[in-house]
Amino acid sequence: MNIFAGTTASGSANISGSTANTRGSTTVTVHAVENANVEALRTAADLFKDKGGKVSQHAADARNKAKWGESWSGQAADAANHATDSAANQLDTAGFSSRTIGRVAGTHADLLSPTRTTVRTTAGLARTALMSVSADGEVSAQHLAFIPGVGGAAQSLAHTLTQILRGALKLARLLDIASGGTISTISSSVAPPRSDVEVDGAEGASVPNSPQSLPPVERIETPHGPVVTAGNVESADEVITLVSGVGSSSPEALARTEAWARATAADAAAQGKNVAVVAWHGYPAPGDLTSAISKDAAKVGAPALREHQRQLRERNPHAKLQVVGYSYGSVVVGEAAAKGSDGLVADEVRLWGSPGVHAEKAEDLQLDAKDGQGEVHNEHVPGDMIRLTTTPEFGVHGKDPAAPDFNAPPRGADGASEGSWSSYGWGKILDLYLMQRGETDAHSSYMWSPEVNVR
């Protein structure tokens, strides 16, 4: 969004078109401010606000239409509800972000307009007096300085005009940096809704209907709960283990995770991929949030999870092993991979809606990967209230894994945009925005969320 004449400084968003000097700072010229297209910026600001409002309204309409009531119920309906709500949240945050960009651009235009007037008036006065005006705002009296009785006054006037111009250019530069940085942060923090997901075919939302599409299922009972595997571990190219959290030992939760494992394996097969998916319930999951404050259950589950992953490697030494820690399940994963432990056999760990993993950074997790380079990714669905339990410095189960200095970016994320504190802060704002809009179920949506692609 260039509104000044000039080239764009590299390395950061820049709505003024200012140029960069050799030290990396930005310079705004007199010519650029004089010719700033403030009117176009105002038009763009109004467009962003208008379109953003319409997008958020579409999100509200989608939520209302997805209330099936008694006409449709069961696992498929629940999955579709979660998928629709998650997609609506994406639309809503995109609309809110668009409106915010519009407000920032509008404020920029409001402040830039009088600045442009000041520069035009001051530079015009200097030129009328036959003085020269440089690009950086310096006014020179030139030959007027040598005219007896006039030279002193001319030089004094030139100095005054220089101070006015340079003050205006400084304000324009600061506006450019502040507005450009804000818009860049907002733009890079909101992923566009996926176009390949429909309500009935959302990730993990579909429950295979035909017997031919169902993957083979292995069910092993443990003292704390079943370990259900969809697909063939011995021949799979990848094995995904899901470790669920609070309440996951209930019959309803067990049915949901088993259905998710079946659907995920079947969806992968439909894409020509050979993936086995394990819904692992081999630990006594906390039954409520009060119990989840303690890491006792995670300590009990950690050795069992390590043994489970070790056996998977023995059964298939060539498969990629991915472990997904969902909510309190991420605490279990963190305990299994804690410093001083035997480590967790995994090539990739993904943390969904994590309240913390009792580690200062991702590198503290001990992963036994095939290539020795285990990956750790954190994924957070907008509106998930789990962020209220942790901060970048501390939390019930440690610092927020979404914090930039934890070094666990979302899978496939652009490191430059996802690793900044400004993006992290904007994510917090989006959470609060959705919460005040009435979002209370985002934390339950990960298995069906369009933002989260498990493969």
Side-chain angles (χ1 to χ4, degrees):
M1 190 190 300
N2 285 338
I3 62 169
F4 290 173
T7 57
T8 302
S10 61
S12 65
N14 191 309
I15 71 171
S16 70
S18 55
T19 57
N21 63 27
T22 55
R23 293 185 180 181
S25 60
T26 58
T27 302
V28 177
T29 67
V30 169
H31 177 77
V33 177
E34 284 184 300
N35 292 277
N37 195 341
V38 178
E39 294 72 26
L41 179 59
R42 279 207 177 96
T43 299
D46 291 341
L47 183 64
F48 271 99
K49 288 186 284 188
D50 178 64
K51 296 300 182 183
K54 291 179 179 178
V55 168
S56 290
Q57 184 57 53
H58 289 325
D61 293 342
R63 288 193 185 97
N64 290 331
K65 291 180 180 178
K67 294 176 180 177
W68 326 117
E70 297 179 357
S71 61
W72 187 25
S73 60
Q75 289 181 1
D78 290 342
N81 263 322
H82 284 295
T84 302
D85 192 51
S86 182
N89 282 347
Q90 280 189 291
L91 280 176
D92 206 347
T93 54
F96 174 69
S97 298
S98 178
R99 299 199 305 277
T100 303
I101 288 174
R103 293 188 185 102
V104 171
T107 300
H108 189 117
D110 290 342
L111 295 174
L112 184 60
S113 181
T115 304
R116 181 182 66 175
T117 299
T118 299
V119 171
R120 285 178 174 178
T121 301
T122 305
L125 176 60
R127 292 168 186 142
T128 300
L130 302 180
M131 297 179 180
S132 66
V133 181
S134 66
D136 66 356
E138 182 177 0
V139 178
S140 173
Q142 296 196 101
H143 61 276
L144 295 177
F146 303 102
I147 300 176
V150 176
Q155 287 182 312
S156 179
L157 176 60
H159 177 74
T160 300
L161 296 179
T162 296
Q163 296 305 308
I164 295 173
L165 280 178
R166 287 188 168 171
L169 294 183
K170 182 177 181 180
L171 175 58
R173 182 170 63 252
L174 293 175
L175 279 173
D176 182 46
I177 293 171
S179 300
T182 300
I183 290 175
S184 176
T185 294
I186 295 172
S187 300
S188 63
S189 298
V190 181
R194 284 172 47 183
S195 60
D196 61 328
V197 175
E198 298 178 357
V199 172
D200 292 326
E203 290 286 345
S206 58
V207 178
N209 294 317
S210 64
Q212 292 81 4
S213 66
L214 293 174
V217 175
E218 174 186 82
R219 185 183 182 94
I220 298 176
E221 296 295 336
T222 76
H224 299 296
V227 176
V228 180
T229 304
N232 192 320
V233 169
E234 281 74 13
S235 64
D237 297 319
E238 180 175 9
V239 182
I240 301 169
T241 299
L242 174 69
V243 184
S244 296
V246 175
S248 59
S249 295
S250 69
E252 296 81 6
L254 294 174
R256 283 196 299 271
T257 53
E258 179 174 344
W260 174 84
R262 288 173 177 267
T264 302
D267 288 346
Q271 299 174 33
K273 300 176 183 178
N274 187 0
V275 177
V277 184
V278 183
W280 187 84
H281 296 278
Y283 83 107
D288 52 47
L289 294 177
T290 301
S291 302
I293 295 176
S294 169
K295 69 173 183 176
D296 289 347
K299 287 183 176 180
V300 172
L305 180 60
R306 283 196 293 267
E307 177 61 19
H308 167 75
Q309 289 298 116
R310 186 191 66 77
Q311 290 180 11
L312 288 181
R313 181 74 86 206
E314 285 186 353
R315 292 173 66 182
N316 189 338
H318 306 293
K320 175 183 177 180
L321 300 184
Q322 178 188 141
V323 178
V324 178
Y326 182 8
S327 188
Y328 188 88
S330 67
V331 182
V332 180
V333 173
E335 194 67 24
K339 277 185 175 181
S341 70
D342 294 333
L344 182 65
V345 179
D347 301 293
E348 180 180 15
V349 163
R350 300 176 70 189
L351 309 174
W352 287 359
S354 175
V357 293
H358 293 284
E360 288 297 311
K361 56 191 177 200
E363 293 84 349
D364 291 340
L365 299 180
Q366 307 298 300
L367 303 183
D368 182 5
K370 286 187 300 179
D371 61 1
Q373 302 293 322
E375 297 181 17
V376 180
H377 300 288
N378 180 82
E379 279 139 338
H380 175 85
V381 171
D384 184 356
M385 292 186 286
I386 197 70
R387 270 192 176 169
L388 299 178
T389 69
T390 186
T391 74
E393 298 299 330
F394 58 86
V396 174
H397 293 293
K399 67 186 300 181
D400 187 357
D405 61 355
F406 190 82
N407 301 327
R411 192 192 230 188
D414 176 355
S417 63
E418 293 290 350
S420 69
W421 286 104
S422 55
S423 294
Y424 176 78
W426 179 248
K428 291 271 193 179
I429 291 173
L430 292 181
D431 287 339
L432 293 173
Y433 167 73
L434 288 175
M435 289 176 200
Q436 65 89 24
R437 297 272 285 181
E439 172 58 61
T440 59
D441 200 37
H443 188 66
S444 302
S445 70
Y446 283 83
M447 287 189 289
W448 299 275
S449 173
E451 299 103 313
V452 178
N453 182 358
V454 296
R455 289 181 293 281

